[in-house]
Amino acid sequence: MSNESTQALLTVKEAIESRRSIRKFKSEAISENDITKLFELVRLAPSAWNVQPWRYHLVTSEDVKQKLQDAAYGQKQITSAPAVIVVTSDMEDTLNNLRDVLHPGMPEERKDQEVQNLSGIFNNMSIADRGQWGLTQTNIALGFLLLTIQGMGYSSVPMLGFEAEKVKSLLEIPEHANIAAIVPFGVADEDGFPHHRHAVDTIVTRH
């Protein structure tokens, strides 16, 4: 897979059923073509008002991966994987560029009104509160990312164990931004654990 992905895309059902958290990867590089395809799909994730607060930091440098691993309590899946995506949410950048998320076919007068409305909503929140709101939207995109990686024939593991301030400093992520997860991905070099999930009746309440 170093130049082109040769695996057929999985269906959504196949991707969901086959996904495992993988912590050991083969040293096969991921092609630029596949990385582009991945982000072209992931960017289609939905968000309230289409604000799209997610920002991705793609790490392939061995030196940076080693430093990122150090900031993640030494978890070796980071340096095992050929690529790592740090998923962040930046509502301040979003707020400063609200016009960019409006549909290009919208009349200019309507765009002005939408920017005013959204600015009013978000400016009435604290930086922390709107940051937390943006993080809930970014978690939707995180789910898309994990399934897209699996659907393209790769494997991944979402990580929440890391020192956020060290990761922000390393990747020059703004202090106000939130980190949703670190996601190492690549070709699996282990099977992972079989699924063990609650029964449907445990998690679904009908009304």
Side-chain angles (χ1 to χ4, degrees), residues 137-151:
Q137 303 300 306
T138 300
N139 282 330
I140 298 172
L142 173 59
F144 268 58
L145 175 65
L146 297 177
L147 284 184
T148 303
I149 289 171
Q150 189 72 23

Side-chain angles (χ1 to χ4, degrees), residues 88-100:
T88 73
S89 174
D90 190 340
M91 278 300 294
E92 301 314 294
D93 186 52
T94 297
L95 192 56
N96 289 331
N97 297 281
L98 284 174
R99 206 172 188 85
D100 292 346

Side-chain angles (χ1 to χ4, degrees), residues 2 19 43 57 69 88-89 114 129 139 154 157 163 170 172 174 190 194 202-203:
S2 58
R19 208 209 74 79
R43 72 187 184 90
H57 294 258
Q69 178 174 296
T88 73
S89 174
E114 288 297 312
D129 284 346
N139 282 330
Y154 296 104
V157 56
E163 296 180 75
L170 174 63
E172 298 183 350
E190 63 178 14
T202 301
I203 62 173

Side-chain angles (χ1 to χ4, degrees), residues 15 22 29 46 95 105 111 115 127-128 132 147 153 184-185 195:
I22 298 298
L95 192 56
K111 287 183 180 180
V115 169
I127 291 177
Q132 187 60 40
L147 284 184
F185 73 106
H195 288 149

Side-chain angles (χ1 to χ4, degrees), residues 96-114:
N96 289 331
N97 297 281
L98 284 174
R99 206 172 188 85
D100 292 346
V101 305
L102 302 178
H103 196 281
M106 186 181 292
E108 289 303 313
E109 183 177 344
R110 175 73 184 282
K111 287 183 180 180
D112 292 339
Q113 185 179 33
E114 288 297 312

Side-chain angles (χ1 to χ4, degrees), residues 3-180:
N3 295 314
E4 294 288 335
S5 178
T6 56
Q7 285 186 257
L9 293 177
L10 304 181
T11 66
V12 174
K13 181 177 184 292
E14 289 169 340
I16 291 172
E17 291 180 341
S18 65
R19 208 209 74 79
R20 305 284 190 274
S21 286
I22 298 298
R23 294 169 176 81
K24 186 178 180 183
F25 300 88
K26 296 181 180 179
S27 59
E28 299 179 22
I30 299 170
S31 72
E32 283 298 318
N33 184 55
D34 274 3
I35 287 172
T36 298
K37 286 181 180 177
L38 172 65
F39 284 115
E40 285 289 351
L41 290 170
V42 172
R43 72 187 184 90
L44 299 178
S47 57
W49 294 304
N50 197 40
V51 295
Q52 307 165 68
W54 41 77
R55 304 291 183 266
Y56 302 98
H57 294 258
L58 176 67
V59 180
T60 55
S61 161
E62 294 301 323
D63 179 60
V64 178
K65 282 195 295 179
Q66 182 61 62
K67 292 175 181 176
L68 189 60
Q69 178 174 296
D70 294 341
Y73 310 111
Q75 296 181 80
K76 297 186 183 302
Q77 55 264 42
I78 291 179
T79 51
S80 173
V84 180
I85 298 173
V86 179
V87 183
T88 73
S89 174
D90 190 340
M91 278 300 294
E92 301 314 294
D93 186 52
T94 297
L95 192 56
N96 289 331
N97 297 281
L98 284 174
R99 206 172 188 85
D100 292 346
V101 305
L102 302 178
H103 196 281
M106 186 181 292
E108 289 303 313
E109 183 177 344
R110 175 73 184 282
K111 287 183 180 180
D112 292 339
Q113 185 179 33
E114 288 297 312
V115 169
Q116 184 177 1
N117 289 342
L118 291 174
S119 294
I121 291 169
F122 292 124
N123 280 321
N124 280 327
M125 299 180 184
S126 67
I127 291 177
D129 284 346
R130 64 176 169 252
Q132 187 60 40
W133 183 91
L135 189 59
T136 65
Q137 303 300 306
T138 300
N139 282 330
I140 298 172
L142 173 59
F144 268 58
L145 175 65
L146 297 177
L147 284 184
T148 303
I149 289 171
Q150 189 72 23
M152 291 180 64
Y154 296 104
S155 296
S156 67
V157 56
M159 297 173 56
L160 295 177
F162 51 84
E163 296 180 75
E165 296 309 312
K166 288 185 178 180
V167 176
K168 288 180 181 181
S169 177
L170 174 63
L171 302 181
E172 298 183 350
I173 297 169
E175 178 60 31
H176 61 256
N178 291 294
I179 302 176

